Amino acid sequence: MDDYYATTPGPELAEPYLREVLDSAGLAVEYVRAQGNTLYQRTDDGELPVADFAGGYGSVLLGHNHPAIVARAKELLDGGTPVHAQFSRHPYANRLAAELNRIIHRELCTDEPYYAVFANSGAEAVEAAIKHAELDRGMRVAELLERTAARRSSVRAAVADGTATVPDTVLSTLGVTARPDSAAERFALAEEEIERRARELTARPPMFLSLEGGFHGKLAASVQLTHNEGYRLPFAALAAQARFVPQDRPDILKEIHAEERGVLPEPAVVDGQVTLVEREFPVFCAFLLEPVQGEGGIRELSAEFAREIQEFCAAIDCPVVVDEIQSGMGRTGTLLASSPLGLRGDYYTLAKTLGGGIAKTSVMLVRRTWYRKEFEIVHSSTFAKDSFSCHIALKVLELLEADDGAAYRRAEERGEALRSMLTRLHTDFPDVVADVRGRGLMLGLEFRDQSESASAEIRQAAQGGLFGYVLAGHLLRRHRVRTFPTASAVNTLRFEPSVEVDDTQIAQLETGLRDVCALLRAQDGAALGSA
C-alpha cells in the first residue's frame, strides 16, 4: 500500500502551494532513506545519495538514524513502553530533567535547579514559556495590587483619625483638580484616581521583548514574537504583542522601557503627611532571544549585548527566555550556545536534537527563582513527557556526554573545517559573497543582493524572495547537496549538518558553491536554473 501511494499520481492535497514553490526551485524530491549525514533521493534509476547540510533544520546533530538511538527505539517499542500514562509517576522524565540540570550546572557554574515542562515541538516549548511567564506576571500583579490596597487602607485609617494630612502636591501629582477642605475627602479623590490607574494598568496586555531577526515559532503566541512580518502580521490580532529590539542597541532598551513602563502610585505617611511612592507595575512579561539566530540569517548575539540585556531585565524584573531550540543540544560545541556568552537564562527552550532525529519532543526549563507550581495544573499536553521520547532524549544526552564530551568537540572541529571552506569562498568571490557567520555546525553564507542583477532570471528570483531557494535547487540538482536559505534572510544559505559530515562532503559542498558563485559572477541565470 505504501508503494501504491508513493508511485500513483494524484491531486496534491498536502500543502499544494508549498509543493508548487518547491517544484519551481527544483526542491520537490522524495527521500526514501537516511543514514549519517546522507539522505537518499528516489529516482527512476533507484536511490541517489545527497549530502545533507540542512540537517532537519538542526534536528539531527548526531546524524540520521544513529545506530544507538535506533537500537534504543526498537528496544523501547519491542518492550511495549507506555506512551500514554498521564497523571502517573514518570521517573524517566525526572531522570531526563536531572541530567539536563547536571550539564547546565556545569556550563553555567551554578547549582540552582531548573524545573522541566515537556512538550512536543520547539514552538510548543516557547508557548509554554510564554504562558508560564504570563502566569507569573499575573500573580505578581495580584501581589502588587494586594499590597498597595493594604497600604492604602492603612493610610486611610491614619487620615481618618487625624494623624495624617493630604497636601495639595498629592492631588496635583495625580492630576486631581478638586481641593476639598476635608482630608478624608481629599484622600478619597486620590484613592479614586489610584484605583482608576490600577484598572487601566491591569487591563493592558503583557508586553514581550524580542530581537529583530528572531524566530520563535509559528503558533498563535510564538509567531507574535517572531520578527518576520510575513509570518506575524496576518495573526497580529490573536495573541501576545512584542517590541523588537535591534541587535547591539542597548540604548533602545531604555527607550522602550520609558515608553512602555507602567507606574502605580502607592500612598504612604511620612512625618504626618500623605505622600506618593512610585511602584513599578509588571508590564514586561519576558525577553526572548536566540544566542544564534537561525531563521534570521545565522546571526550571533554578542557577549556584550547579552550582558546588557541580562542587566536590563534584572533591573526591571523581567525574565530572560533563551531559545536554544536550533542552537542548543551541542550544535555549537556546548549544550547551550548561550553559556560561552556568560548569559544565564531564567527560562530555556530545547528541542530538535533532543529527540535524536526520531522522537518529537521538547522541554521548557524554568529557573527555581521564577517557577510557579500553579502552572502544573493549568498547562498540559497529551503526548508530552512520555516514556519513549524521554528515554530517547536520555540516550541523546548519553551520546553527547560520552568520552568526556567528544561529540561537542567533534561539532567544533567539523564546524571549523566547514567554516574554513566558506571563508576561502568568501575570499575568492568577494563580489558575490557578502559574509560568513555562525559557530560550530550552525553556519551561514550570505550572498550579495541580486535584485538589480543583469540576468532577468536572477533578478526576478531575488525580487520575489526566492533567490536562496533557487541556489538551493541548483545545489541539489547539479551537486547532490541539500541545504536551504534562512527563512527571514533568504540571501543567506544555512549549513547545519551532523557531526558525521566528512571532508568529502565538505569538498562536495565547496564544488557546488563555487559553481553557484561562478554563475552569479557571470550573471548566468539560465544555467543557474537548469538541471
Side-chain angles (χ1 to χ4, degrees):
M1 186 62 72
D2 288 342
D3 288 342
Y4 171 83
Y5 285 114
T7 58
T8 303
E12 289 293 338
L13 301 179
E15 300 182 304
Y17 175 68
L18 180 59
R19 169 63 186 268
E20 182 182 328
V21 172
L22 294 175
D23 268 332
S24 68
L27 295 169
V29 302
E30 180 186 357
Y31 297 103
V32 294
R33 192 163 60 88
Q35 191 65 51
N37 203 65
T38 302
L39 283 161
Y40 293 86
Q41 178 184 339
R42 181 193 294 275
T43 70
D44 293 339
D45 298 323
E47 296 178 359
L48 188 67
V50 173
D52 185 12
F53 283 86
Y57 295 118
S59 296
V60 285
L61 177 66
L62 296 173
H64 290 280
N65 294 309
H66 188 286
I69 297 174
V70 170
R72 185 64 175 129
K74 288 179 178 178
E75 181 184 14
L76 290 164
L77 294 175
D78 288 343
T81 193
V83 172
H84 296 288
Q86 301 89 342
F87 260 64
S88 64
R89 292 183 67 246
H90 297 85
Y92 37 81
N94 289 331
R95 288 199 299 274
L96 176 55
E99 182 64 3
L100 286 166
N101 268 274
R102 184 188 68 79
I103 303 170
I104 289 171
H105 290 167
R106 182 186 71 214
E107 292 192 356
L108 299 182
C109 300
T110 180
D111 59 2
E112 183 175 3
Y114 284 81
Y115 294 105
V117 176
F118 291 95
N120 306 288
S121 69
E124 288 177 59
V126 171
E127 295 268 329
I130 292 170
K131 285 179 64 179
H132 187 284
E134 175 56 10
L135 175 69
D136 171 72
R137 189 190 75 90
M139 295 177 76
R140 286 189 286 129
V141 166
E143 291 161 4
L144 173 62
L145 293 177
E146 183 179 350
R147 186 169 63 249
T148 57
R151 289 178 179 168
R152 278 168 34 210
S153 178
S154 174
V155 172
R156 190 186 314 118
V159 170
D161 65 19
T163 58
T165 60
V166 183
D168 288 348
T169 52
V170 168
L171 298 176
S172 59
T173 298
L174 292 171
V176 177
T177 56
R179 297 289 187 275
D181 294 330
S182 164
E185 290 178 355
R186 282 174 169 244
F187 189 68
L189 290 173
E191 276 202 282
E192 183 180 332
E193 176 59 21
I194 292 170
E195 288 174 354
R196 186 194 68 78
R197 294 189 185 188
R199 289 193 300 271
E200 186 178 84
L201 286 168
T202 304
R204 285 180 62 179
M207 176 57 63
F208 291 86
L209 299 173
S210 186
L211 292 181
E212 289 186 358
F215 179 91
H216 301 288
K218 295 180 181 177
L219 297 181
S222 58
V223 75
Q224 292 307 317
L225 310 181
T226 290
H227 185 233
N228 188 321
E229 291 185 349
Y231 299 149
R232 177 167 46 89
L233 292 186
F235 311 103
L238 284 181
Q241 302 299 305
R243 292 287 300 268
F244 293 97
V245 181
Q247 289 274 7
D248 296 314
R249 290 291 305 276
D251 55 306
I252 299 297
L253 292 175
K254 295 175 184 177
E255 290 180 14
I256 291 174
H257 179 245
E259 293 168 4
E260 301 288 351
R261 72 186 292 246
V263 174
L264 183 63
E266 181 181 276
V269 177
V270 178
D271 296 331
Q273 286 195 330
V274 175
T275 186
L276 296 174
V277 179
E278 287 190 347
R279 298 297 181 197
E280 192 85 10
F281 193 89
V283 170
F284 295 95
C285 192
F287 195 133
L288 279 82
L289 58 85
E290 299 161 278
V292 183
Q293 290 183 341
E295 305 301 331
I298 315 295
R299 297 184 182 277
E300 290 188 76
L301 181 68
S302 70
E304 181 180 358
F305 196 36
R307 177 184 55 79
E308 289 164 334
I309 289 172
Q310 186 121 54
E311 292 175 353
F312 169 79
C313 287
I316 67 169
D317 210 21
C318 172
V320 177
V321 179
V322 183
D323 183 341
E324 293 268 10
I325 288 163
Q326 195 164 161
S327 61
M329 294 303 301
R331 180 154 291 279
T332 64
T334 48
L335 186 81
L336 303 174
S338 54
S339 60
L341 302 177
L343 178 64
R344 183 182 181 185
D346 301 302
Y347 296 72
Y348 290 99
T349 56
L350 292 165
K352 295 190 183 293
T353 289
L354 183 67
I358 291 178
K360 296 176 174 64
T361 188
S362 62
V363 66
M364 182 269 285
L365 299 167
V366 191
R367 190 155 64 99
R368 180 174 60 186
T369 303
W370 287 91
Y371 188 65
R372 297 284 188 171
K373 65 182 185 299
E374 293 82 0
F375 191 70
E376 299 169 26
I377 304 300
V378 299
H379 180 84
S380 62
S381 172
T382 298
F383 286 92
K385 201 168 63 171
D386 66 286
S387 173
F388 180 80
S389 64
C390 286
H391 279 110
I392 293 297
L394 281 164
K395 175 57 71 173
V396 168
L397 292 179
E398 177 188 321
L399 293 169
L400 288 174
E401 292 284 300
D403 299 324
D404 196 28
Y408 302 125
R409 296 192 297 275
R410 174 77 175 173
E412 286 185 306
E413 183 274 324
R414 290 288 79 197
E416 185 54 40
L418 179 55
R419 187 185 184 96
S420 294
M421 180 274 285
L422 297 175
T423 302
R424 289 195 303 272
L425 199 75
H426 185 201
T427 300
D428 293 346
F429 293 91
D431 52 323
V432 174
V433 176
D435 199 10
V436 176
R437 292 188 295 270
R439 182 156 36 107
L441 287 173
M442 189 174 180
L443 299 172
L445 185 71
E446 182 183 1
F447 289 85
R448 297 197 181 278
D449 179 42
Q450 297 288 336
S451 58
E452 301 298 325
S453 170
S455 162
E457 295 94 338
I458 296 174
R459 184 172 64 252
Q460 289 167 8
Q463 292 175 353
L466 296 175
F467 176 71
Y469 295 97
V470 170
L471 302 189
H474 183 83
L475 288 169
L476 178 60
R477 291 190 306 271
R478 293 287 297 273
H479 300 280
R480 301 307 168 197
V481 167
R482 182 175 190 255
T483 188
F484 297 113
T486 56
S488 299
V490 293
N491 286 349
T492 300
L493 291 182
R494 73 172 83 204
F495 306 102
E496 300 182 54
S498 74
V499 293
E500 295 298 314
V501 65
D502 57 24
D503 290 340
T504 300
Q505 289 188 326
I506 292 175
Q508 182 180 347
L509 173 63
E510 180 173 11
T511 298
L513 289 173
R514 286 186 177 277
D515 179 28
V516 164
C517 289
L519 292 174
L520 288 173
R521 177 175 281 174
Q523 295 289 280
D524 191 347
L528 194 60
S530 65

